């Protein structure tokens, strides 16, 4: 399981073109934060396009790499990836366009135009979700030859879907802040735009649904990175089956963590101020994960047996 960066330009072409465009937008947005003094919901107005651009660089690169691992090309998966590019472009056009207009892109129903643009974003995200789901199905059917890579990619794609679903509560009626023209919120128990962690802006005074959303989405990178590290540093000590099982344990724990963080946020609880119940849930997750990891390692086969199998 390796990543050949020299071949990256030859991965899924539309995805990689989109990645390059988002890299340029990230630089433009960074400059915007330095030269544009406008503030929106308590943060520099260009922070949102910057964060989204960086996120799409990582997402697009990872997805293109995953498609390159398939034993043979899949037109369905490639078309689904192209659909993801198209919907992502729509989302970024709205986000940047609203920044230029000096207003918010999310939860904005203050005018018919703003409401329509937010509706377009919502529709594009739904299409992206289903296109991502299609790619996950194709990956499961095509069976990547490398067992560890197959586990990491499969769990990464599945958990990133869970991360997308973690954003759904942001637009449910319970998240209506009672402010005219605003139809949802990131924060729970406090209004958006209050005190937050540096750069990410996650609320430090209430719950924040972006945390579980962020963590779940980045399973797409976290699990393949874990698989690469296991092969790089424990490849001679643990057989392939054991390393694949460890990826499964990590994936299950990662999924529970995503749900736990969303549950914590829905209770209006800041990330860094967990109550006893949250701490108990985290402790239980750690104990169960450590126990499962220990059992998997204890049942490992030695290198000689693995070669003979």
């Amino acid at each position: 399981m390796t990543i050949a960066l020299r071949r990256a330009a030859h991965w899924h072409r539309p995805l990689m073109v989109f990645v390059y465009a988002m890299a340029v937008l990230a630089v433009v947005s960074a400059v915007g934060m330095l030269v544009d003094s406008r503030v929106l919901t308590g943060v520099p107005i260009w922070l949102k396009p910057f964060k989204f651009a960086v996120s799409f660089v990582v997402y697009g690169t990872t997805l293109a790499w995953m498609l390159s691992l398939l034993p043979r090309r899949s037109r369905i998966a490639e078309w689904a990836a192209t659909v993801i590019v198209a919907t992502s472009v729509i989302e970024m056009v709205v986000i940047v366009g609203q920044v230029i207009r000096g207003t918010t892109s999310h939860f904005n129903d203050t005018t018919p135009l703003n409401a329509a643009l937010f509706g377009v974003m919502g529709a594009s995200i739904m299409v992206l979700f289903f296109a991502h789901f299609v790619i996950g199905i194709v990956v499961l059917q095509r069976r990547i030859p490398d067992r560890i890579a197959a586990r990491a990619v499969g769990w990464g794609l599945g958990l990133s879907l869970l991360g997308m679903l973690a954003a759904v509560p942001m637009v449910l009626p319970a998240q209506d802040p009672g402010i005219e023209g605003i139809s949802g919120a990131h924060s729970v128990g406090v209004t958006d735009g209050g005190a937050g962690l540096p750069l990410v802006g996650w609320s430090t005074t209430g719950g924040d649904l972006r945390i579980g959303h962020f963590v779940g989405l980045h399973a797409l990178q976290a699990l393949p990175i874990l698989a690469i590290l296991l092969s790089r540093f424990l490849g001679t000590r643990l057989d392939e089956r054991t390393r694949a099982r460890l990826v499964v344990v990590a994936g299950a724990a990662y999924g529970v963590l995503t749900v736990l963080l969303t549950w914590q946020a829905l209770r209006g609880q800041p990330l860094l101020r967990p109550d006893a119940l949250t701490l108990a849930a985290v402790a239980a997750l750690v104990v169960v994960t450590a126990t499962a990891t220990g059992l998997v390692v204890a049942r490992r086969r030695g290198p000689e047996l693995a070669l003979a199998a």
Side-chain angles (χ1 to χ4, degrees):
M1 182 177 180
T2 58
I3 298 178
L5 294 179
R6 292 181 180 179
R7 295 200 299 269
H10 301 289
W11 294 343
H12 189 270
R13 189 63 58 86
L15 272 173
M16 295 311 298
V17 170
F18 178 64
V19 165
Y20 301 145
M22 289 300 99
V24 172
L25 178 59
V27 174
V28 172
S29 299
V31 173
M33 286 190 287
L34 295 175
V35 302
D36 191 338
S37 60
R38 290 179 297 167
V39 173
L40 194 62
T41 62
V43 297
I45 197 169
W46 284 96
L47 180 60
K48 183 180 288 289
F50 174 78
K51 291 194 297 184
F52 270 73
V54 171
S55 180
F56 273 128
V57 166
V58 177
Y59 174 75
T61 303
T62 306
L63 199 59
W65 167 70
M66 288 179 171
L67 290 175
S68 76
L69 296 178
L70 294 176
R72 59 186 186 280
R73 290 184 59 184
S74 167
R75 291 190 180 276
I76 295 176
E78 291 180 355
W79 271 105
T82 302
V83 169
I84 287 176
V85 171
T87 56
S88 300
V89 168
I90 292 172
E91 185 173 6
M92 291 307 300
V93 167
V94 174
I95 289 173
V96 174
Q98 292 294 72
V99 165
I100 293 173
R101 296 179 64 226
T103 188
T104 57
S105 52
H106 288 69
F107 320 127
N108 191 344
D109 290 338
T110 53
T111 68
L113 175 59
N114 290 333
L117 290 173
F118 182 48
V120 168
M121 288 182 64
S124 67
I125 292 170
M126 289 287 292
V127 174
L128 186 152
F129 177 90
F130 285 109
H132 186 102
F133 179 78
V134 167
I135 291 175
I137 296 298
V138 171
V139 168
L140 290 177
Q141 291 179 336
R142 290 299 173 91
R143 296 188 179 183
I144 296 171
D146 186 319
R147 182 185 297 179
I148 303 168
R151 295 291 188 279
V153 170
W155 277 87
L157 285 167
L159 291 174
S160 57
L161 285 172
L162 177 63
M164 294 179 193
L165 290 175
V168 171
M170 297 180 190
V171 293
L172 294 181
Q175 279 299 97
D176 188 341
I179 302 173
E180 185 178 357
I182 305 299
S183 59
H186 299 126
S187 304
V188 180
V190 295
T191 58
D192 284 350
L197 295 175
L199 187 59
V200 291
W202 297 337
S203 177
T204 55
T205 56
D208 200 312
L209 293 165
R210 290 173 294 184
I211 302 171
H213 178 54
F214 175 89
V215 171
L217 284 178
H218 288 289
L220 201 66
Q221 293 81 39
L223 292 177
I225 288 173
L226 173 63
I228 291 171
L229 293 176
L230 285 173
S231 297
R232 174 67 177 82
F233 295 104
L234 296 176
T236 59
R237 297 184 181 183
L238 300 177
D239 61 278
E240 184 183 43
R241 178 181 296 179
T242 298
R243 283 178 277 140
R245 287 175 174 172
L246 288 176
V247 170
V248 172
V249 170
Y254 200 101
V256 173
L257 177 62
T258 300
V259 173
L260 194 158
L261 290 169
T262 303
W263 170 65
Q264 180 187 13
L266 287 170
R267 291 160 56 222
Q269 192 176 114
L271 174 66
L272 302 181
R273 289 163 53 191
D275 62 10
L277 184 58
T278 301
L279 289 174
V282 172
L285 175 60
V286 170
V287 170
V288 171
T289 303
T291 301
T293 300
L295 290 174
V296 169
V297 173
R299 294 178 59 187
R300 73 186 186 279
R301 296 183 295 178
E304 297 81 6
L305 292 175
L307 289 173

